[in-house]
């Protein structure tokens, strides 16, 4: 039996064969992607593309730009040449090539010297065995080579290549030129360059390559897993394809059988119906044929009688003939008056049923890929837009897709923008394509609701969502900002930064975490005793200076833009201004000792004055603070009258909130006011914050035991309430 190809030789054959020309490598060159091909093959491949246009590597498709369109500029794959030589030696060892001595005149080789890297004959073997110079050489016979394989033919330290210019071995590597050089090259061409002996530099290079190889090796398990997953998916798809084919064939065969049975039944019923109709028509036709024959026979008899009978004969048979004619006319006349067939040829309804079946198949037999169309996935229910903390809520996700799958992978998360925590929610299938999400939010404020279906975000995700906290749950502080010298009034800019006026005359700015990030010092502009403060949509800051009876306007950097007012009671004068609010392009100032509200433009030009001293509607007794809601309603804390007056921004009175007292819903010396969906009033005498609806319904109060000496109150976009309390700002 002939021996098969040696697997080692076959593997080497593959290693030394170019993937482009499928022949032995000729001047192999290494591409940047670390794949190698013949020099001429690379040049031919690159010529198919425009100059300076990258060409794809035939193996990995990585774009490759040939430097100066010259393959000589690429690194030579020396190890491929070594493998070619090794392959040639393997073929000689296995007798596939003629093996002659490579050391003498050419006798037949019988052995191989690993140190000489030559096949040698018997005459050369003997000196290797006798002479000291060959004492360390290892000589193997051809049979030993066959048994030992590649190991016997390889060598650990191949001789270095020789320099073409100086015929010296290239034992040195120039790092500046990135090339092997000889000793003479150092003196002539590489003087002053950074170089090192190859033997000395090689260990570090091997270590570096090994270290760089490690992360790539670490990727192999994941890549292998990915390959297996893709392979498994392909197998599953193939299996699903075959299963679908079987199911389709079975289903349509079933439909075919049903149609065949239906066809037989319909034909049978049709035949029976037709036979029944034809039988009746046959009886009808026989009767009509008899009537027609009888009538025609009588006519023939009478006509012959009239033609051939004598007068005496006619008179004699007259009564008989007339009686017979009258009887036939009476009898056959009824049949002639109703000539329609007793049955009709009405079979057309069966055709319409078949047309309906055709439409049913055309419109409902489809092939689906099972992919979700995100544009058709929607969210329904208010629970996806707003909720209340610690209160069960829900919404629904509607999934529409071109599939018959009953279940999808639904991922829902509620991410807080207050502390960045996430709450994973569960979507429970209710019916085909409808999922219900029930949850109880744990953190109040702004959130993002993230929803994905089968790893695809649905339109609108992440959804903006607000978790409310009812005022009745504002019972304990959640945080305290300390280190402020007599804080007074507060507001927020567009970045949700807290701005506070203090007793030193400074304006302080804090970030969301309560860290002071900016200060507008009074020494810069000479402000004195500031209280009320407001911020407009451009983050300009307005403050009231009581002692100097004026209002300042600063930009967000603290630069003074404008000043309004001097002490007095005229249109352009103020007397101890306290609270201030900005709404649109108007500024509202509590002109306390003039017992009125001054309305200015945002450029601090006077518009009008609202109110005067008194106890009636639209009259004030030392108004302390003012706020304007999104419905353009103005809320003024009427300090001396122990109430909050609600007016339009034009000054028309609407109603009052509260009355003097210390009970639930009563007010005593109200200071700050803030309006969101509720009205928050800071009450100094009773050390509490009262909460009302906008139509004067008392809701709750909080702060007793936690806050004293109140001034301002403010609410941020997450629903946290900030209250001034002595030397701190307390957050509820």
């Amino acid at each position: 039996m002939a021996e098969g190809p040696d697997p080692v030789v076959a593997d080497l054959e593959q290693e030394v064969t170019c993937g482009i020309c499928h022949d032995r490598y000729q001047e192999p060159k290494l591409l940047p992607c670390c794949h190698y091909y013949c020099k001429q093959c690379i040049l031919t491949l690159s010529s198919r593309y425009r100059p300076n246009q990258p060409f794809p590597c035939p193996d990995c498709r990585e774009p490759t730009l040939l430097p100066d369109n010259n393959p000589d500029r690429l690194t030579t794959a020396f190890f491929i040449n070594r493998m070619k030589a090794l392959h040639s030696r393997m073929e000689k060892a296995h007798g596939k090539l003629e093996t002659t001595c490579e050391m003498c005149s050419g006798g037949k080789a019988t052995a191989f010297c690993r140190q000489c890297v030559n096949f040698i004959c018997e005459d050369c073997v003997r000196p290797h065995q006798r002479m000291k110079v060959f004492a360390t050489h290892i000589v193997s016979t051809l049979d030993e080579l066959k048994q030992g394989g590649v190991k016997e033919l390889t060598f650990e330290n191949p001789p270095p290549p020789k320099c073409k210019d100086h015929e010296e071995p290239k034992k040195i590597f120039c790092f500046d030129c990135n090339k092997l050089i000889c000793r003479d090259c150092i003196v002539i061409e590489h003087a002053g360059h950074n170089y090192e002996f190859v033997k000395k530099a090689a260990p570090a290079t091997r270590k570096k390559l090994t270290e760089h190889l490690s992360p790539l090796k670490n990727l192999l398990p994941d890549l292998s897993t990915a390959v297996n997953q893709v392979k498994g998916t392909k197998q599953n798809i193939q299996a699903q394809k075959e299963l679908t084919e079987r199911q389709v064939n079975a289903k349509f065969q079933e439909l075919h059988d049903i149609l065949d049975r239906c066809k037989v039944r319909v034909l049978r019923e049709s035949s029976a119906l037709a036979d029944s109709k034809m039988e009746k028509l046959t009886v009808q036709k026989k009767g009509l044929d008899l009537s027609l024959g009888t009538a025609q026979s009588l006519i023939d008899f009478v006509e012959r009688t009239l033609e051939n009978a004598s007068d005496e004969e006619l008179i004699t048979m007259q009564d008989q003939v007339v009686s017979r004619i009258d009887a036939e006319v009476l009898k056959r006349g009824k049949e002639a008056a109703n000539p329609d067939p007793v049955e009709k040829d009405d079979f057309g309804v069966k055709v319409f049923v078949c047309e309906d079946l055709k439409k049913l198949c055309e419109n409902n037999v489809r092939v689906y890929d099972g992919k979700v169309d995100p544009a058709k996935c929607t969210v329904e229910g208010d629970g996806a837009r707003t909720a209340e903390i610690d209160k069960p809520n829900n919404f629904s996700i509607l999934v529409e897709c071109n599939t018959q799958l009953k279940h999808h992978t639904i991922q829902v998360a509620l991410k807080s923008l207050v502390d960045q925590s996430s709450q994973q929610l569960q979507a429970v299938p209710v019916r085909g394509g409808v999922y219900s999400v029930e949850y109880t939010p744990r953190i109040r404020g702004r959130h993002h609701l993230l929803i994905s279906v089968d790893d695809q975000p649905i339109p609108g995700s992440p959804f903006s969502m607000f978790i409310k906290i009812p005022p009745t749950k504002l019972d304990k502080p959640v945080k305290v900002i300390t280190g402020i010298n007599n804080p007074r009034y507060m507001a927020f800019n567009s970045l949700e930064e807290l701005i506070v006026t203090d007793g030193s005359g400074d304006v302080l700015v804090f970030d969301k975490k309560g860290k002071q990030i900016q200060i507008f010092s009074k020494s810069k502009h000479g402000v004195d005793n500031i209280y009320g403060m407001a911020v407009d949509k451009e983050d300009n800051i307005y403050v009231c200076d009581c002692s100097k009876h004026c209002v300042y306007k600063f930009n967000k950097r603290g630069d003074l833009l404008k000043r309004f007012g001097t002490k007095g009671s005229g249109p352009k004068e103020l007397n101890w201004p306290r609270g201030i609010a900005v709404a649109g392009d108007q500024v509202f100032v509590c002109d306390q000792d003039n017992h009125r509200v001054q309305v200015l433009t945002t450029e601090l030009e006077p518009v009008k004055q609202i109110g005067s001293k008194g106890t009636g509607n639209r009259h004030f007794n030392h108004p302390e603070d003012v706020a304007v809601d999104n419905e353009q309603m103005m809320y003024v804390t009427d300090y001396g009258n122990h109430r909050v007056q609600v007016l339009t921004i034009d000054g028309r009175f609407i109603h009052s909130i509260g009355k003097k007292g210390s009970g639930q819903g009563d007010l005593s010396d109200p200071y700050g006011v803030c309006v969101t969906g509720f009205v928050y009033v800071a009450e100094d005498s009773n050390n509490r914050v009262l909460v009302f609806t906008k139509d004067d319904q008392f809701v709750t109060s909080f702060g007793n035991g936690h806050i004293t000496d109140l001034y301002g109150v403010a609410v941020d976009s997450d629903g946290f309430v900030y209250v001034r309390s002595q030397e701190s700002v307390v957050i509820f």
Side-chain angles (χ1 to χ4, degrees):
M1 179 181 290
E3 293 185 1
D6 186 274
V8 177
V9 177
D11 288 344
L12 277 174
E13 177 74 28
Q14 186 176 357
E15 290 290 340
V16 298
T17 301
C18 175
I20 296 178
C21 66
H22 303 292
D23 203 349
R24 299 284 175 85
Y25 283 109
Q26 300 296 325
E27 297 185 81
K29 293 291 183 177
L30 194 65
L31 297 182
C33 60
C34 294
H35 291 112
Y36 39 85
Y37 305 95
C38 299
K39 170 183 170 181
Q40 186 57 44
C41 291
I42 293 174
L43 188 59
T44 302
L45 180 62
S46 66
S47 66
R48 300 174 186 170
Y49 297 84
R50 292 191 298 271
N52 299 320
Q53 180 186 5
F55 62 89
C57 167
D59 198 326
C60 66
R61 314 307 297 171
E62 183 77 16
T64 301
L65 186 62
L66 194 60
D68 301 328
N69 203 35
N70 184 5
D72 287 330
R73 297 284 301 275
L74 297 172
T75 302
T76 299
F78 293 109
F79 63 96
I80 296 299
N81 289 328
R82 290 179 58 205
M83 292 182 70
K84 283 176 60 181
L86 177 61
H87 179 261
S88 177
R89 291 196 293 271
M90 286 292 294
E91 287 188 318
K92 290 179 179 180
H94 284 74
K96 293 189 175 183
L97 293 177
E98 185 178 352
T99 311
T100 59
C101 182
E102 297 171 342
M103 291 190 70
C104 66
S105 59
K108 185 177 181 181
T110 59
F112 179 77
C113 177
R114 295 182 62 182
Q115 279 63 41
C116 297
V117 197
N118 283 322
F119 284 92
I120 58 179
C121 64
E122 283 296 330
D123 292 338
C124 296
V125 169
R126 285 191 287 272
H128 275 72
Q129 294 172 339
R130 294 196 307 268
M131 299 176 67
K132 290 185 178 181
V133 69
F134 297 118
T136 59
H137 287 210
I138 301 174
V139 178
S140 302
T141 66
L142 295 186
D143 289 336
E144 290 173 340
L145 291 181
K146 290 181 182 180
Q147 296 175 2
V150 175
K151 181 179 178 181
E152 295 292 334
L153 290 168
T154 55
F155 42 91
E156 297 179 358
N157 297 308
K162 288 188 177 182
C163 177
K164 293 181 180 180
D165 297 328
H166 308 112
E167 293 298 324
E168 292 290 331
K170 295 181 179 180
K171 296 183 178 181
I172 302 166
F173 185 77
C174 178
F175 293 99
D176 293 343
C177 302
N178 194 35
K179 62 186 294 187
L180 290 170
I181 59 176
C182 69
R183 290 180 182 270
D184 292 347
C185 292
I186 296 175
V187 179
I188 299 173
E189 300 173 0
H190 300 269
H193 287 197
N194 180 25
Y195 54 83
E196 182 61 86
F197 282 100
V198 170
K199 286 188 177 181
K200 189 173 181 180
T205 301
R206 292 182 184 278
K207 181 179 178 182
K208 180 179 178 181
L209 289 176
T210 302
E211 290 174 350
H212 277 68
L213 195 60
S214 181
L216 188 60
K217 286 184 175 180
N218 292 338
L219 290 176
L220 290 181
D222 292 338
L223 290 173
S224 258
T225 300
V227 168
N228 290 333
Q229 288 177 342
V230 172
K231 181 181 177 182
T233 302
K234 286 183 65 179
Q235 291 173 344
N236 292 341
I237 291 174
Q238 180 63 32
Q240 184 62 34
K241 174 187 173 184
E242 295 171 358
L243 175 62
T244 302
E245 288 176 353
R246 292 195 298 272
Q247 290 176 336
V248 168
N249 289 332
K251 184 59 67 175
F252 276 87
Q253 184 61 48
E254 181 182 352
L255 291 173
H256 188 274
D257 293 343
I258 293 173
L259 290 174
D260 273 349
R261 291 195 296 271
C262 181
K263 172 185 173 183
V264 171
R265 177 180 59 80
V266 171
L267 289 175
R268 184 175 61 249
E269 292 177 357
S270 173
S271 178
L273 180 60
D275 290 346
S276 173
K277 288 176 177 289
M278 290 176 66
E279 185 177 351
K280 293 178 181 178
L281 290 171
T282 299
V283 172
Q284 182 182 17
K285 183 176 180 296
K286 286 182 179 179
L288 290 172
D289 286 342
L290 179 61
S291 297
L292 179 60
T294 302
Q296 186 62 49
S297 176
L298 183 57
I299 291 171
D300 292 343
F301 170 77
V302 173
E303 287 179 346
R304 286 196 303 273
T305 300
L306 290 173
E307 183 180 350
N308 299 311
S310 63
D311 294 338
E312 293 79 9
E313 291 172 337
L314 284 175
I315 292 172
T316 302
M317 64 177 66
Q318 169 186 325
D319 292 339
Q320 180 181 353
V321 174
V322 170
S323 176
R324 177 63 178 165
I325 291 173
D326 290 343
E328 283 295 320
V329 170
L330 179 63
K331 181 178 180 182
R332 308 306 173 190
K334 292 180 181 180
E335 294 175 348
N338 187 22
D340 292 338
V342 293
E343 292 291 345
K344 296 181 179 180
D345 53 351
D346 49 356
F347 292 89
V349 64
K350 301 301 180 182
V351 176
F352 291 112
V353 172
C354 292
E355 288 297 324
D356 290 342
L357 181 61
K358 178 181 177 183
K359 291 179 181 179
L360 182 67
C361 290
E362 289 177 347
N363 295 333
N364 292 280
V365 180
R366 301 282 178 87
V367 177
Y368 299 106
D369 63 5
K371 293 182 180 178
V372 174
D373 183 356
K376 295 183 179 180
C377 298
T378 56
V379 175
E380 290 189 353
D382 292 337
R385 290 179 288 274
T386 184
E388 187 174 304
I389 191 170
D390 297 331
K391 184 177 180 180
N393 209 339
N394 66 83
F395 59 89
S396 297
I397 302 172
L398 278 63
V399 179
E400 293 186 25
C401 61
N402 297 329
T403 181
Q404 299 298 322
L405 297 175
K406 295 182 178 179
H407 300 291
H408 300 273
T409 301
I410 312 292
Q411 294 178 321
V412 186
L414 188 61
K415 182 178 181 180
S416 169
L417 300 183
V418 177
D419 64 2
Q420 302 303 311
S421 63
S422 290
Q423 182 179 354
Q424 299 299 318
L425 310 183
Q426 184 177 7
V428 179
V430 178
R431 57 184 182 276
V434 180
Y435 295 78
S436 176
V437 180
E438 297 185 358
Y439 68 102
T440 301
R442 301 189 298 263
I443 299 173
R444 69 188 187 187
R446 293 169 299 160
H447 286 67
H448 275 165
L449 181 63
L450 301 96
I451 303 176
S452 65
V453 179
D454 293 345
D455 298 324
Q456 299 182 68
I458 71 171
S461 179
F463 298 89
S464 295
M465 190 173 182
F466 189 78
I467 308 299
K468 300 179 290 186
I469 182 170
T472 52
K473 293 189 177 182
L474 297 171
D475 51 350
K476 295 180 181 179
V478 296
K479 190 174 184 178
V480 178
I481 302 175
T482 59
I484 307 175
N485 180 20
N486 190 18
R488 291 175 175 174
Y489 284 86
M490 298 157 290
F492 296 93
N493 61 19
S494 62
L495 299 177
E496 289 296 314
E497 295 169 340
L498 174 67
I499 306 175
V500 184
T501 56
D502 72 3
S504 302
D506 296 329
V507 178
L508 311 177
V509 183
F510 298 84
D511 63 17
K512 289 288 288 183
K513 296 181 180 180
K515 179 183 178 182
Q516 182 178 318
I517 56 175
Q518 198 173 4
I519 180 171
F520 304 155
S521 176
K522 70 174 184 178
S523 60
K524 184 175 180 179
H525 302 293
V527 297
D528 189 4
N529 188 16
I530 58 177
Y531 272 82
M533 183 263 302
V535 181
D536 67 15
K537 60 184 179 182
E538 296 178 351
D539 286 344
N540 296 311
I541 301 171
Y542 303 76
V543 296
C544 294
D545 190 331
C546 298
S547 299
K548 293 190 175 181
H549 311 284
C550 66
V551 173
Y552 296 102
K553 178 181 179 180
F554 300 95
N555 64 20
K556 58 185 177 182
R557 295 182 299 274
D559 302 320
L560 179 63
L561 301 179
K562 207 150 190 178
R563 170 178 169 164
F564 168 82
T566 56
K567 185 175 182 179
S569 58
K572 295 186 178 182
E573 296 174 324
L574 297 168
N575 192 355
W576 205 258
R578 296 277 280 194
I580 188 170
V582 180
D585 58 357
Q586 290 187 317
V587 180
F588 303 84
V589 182
C590 287
D591 191 359
Q592 191 175 71
D593 285 356
N594 284 326
H595 310 286
R596 65 187 180 185
V597 175
Q598 282 255 36
V599 183
L600 315 172
T601 67
T602 50
E603 294 302 317
L604 301 188
E605 295 296 330
V607 177
K608 61 183 173 183
Q609 297 81 40
I610 298 174
S612 58
K613 186 173 183 179
T615 58
N617 298 336
R618 208 173 176 272
H619 292 279
F620 302 103
N621 184 0
H622 294 90
E624 176 65 31
D625 195 15
V626 59
V628 180
D629 68 10
N630 54 11
E631 297 174 348
Q632 301 297 293
M633 303 298 292
M634 179 170 58
Y635 298 75
V636 183
T637 48
D638 193 357
Y639 178 84
N641 290 323
H642 311 286
R643 63 185 177 181
V644 175
Q645 289 202 55
V646 183
L647 307 95
T648 66
I649 58 174
D650 296 327
R652 181 168 57 88
F653 176 80
I654 302 300
H655 64 84
S656 292
I657 295 176
K659 64 182 188 304
K660 184 177 182 180
S662 58
Q664 297 288 4
D666 295 335
L667 294 172
S668 180
D669 303 331
Y671 269 86
V673 62
C674 178
V675 184
T676 56
F678 296 93
V679 181
Y680 297 83
V681 184
E683 183 193 32
D684 181 45
S685 295
N686 292 317
N687 293 320
R688 62 184 180 177
V689 175
L690 289 91
V691 185
F692 299 88
T693 63
K694 291 183 178 181
D695 56 359
D696 189 26
Q697 297 297 312
F698 173 73
V699 177
T700 188
S701 65
F702 62 90
N704 278 335
H706 300 291
I707 49 178
T708 58
D709 194 17
L710 279 66
Y711 276 123
V713 60
V715 180
D716 70 11
S717 61
D718 290 312
F720 291 90
V721 183
Y722 295 67
V723 185
R724 184 268 194 192
S725 177
Q726 291 186 331
E727 300 297 308
S728 62
V729 173
V730 181
I731 306 173
F732 290 85

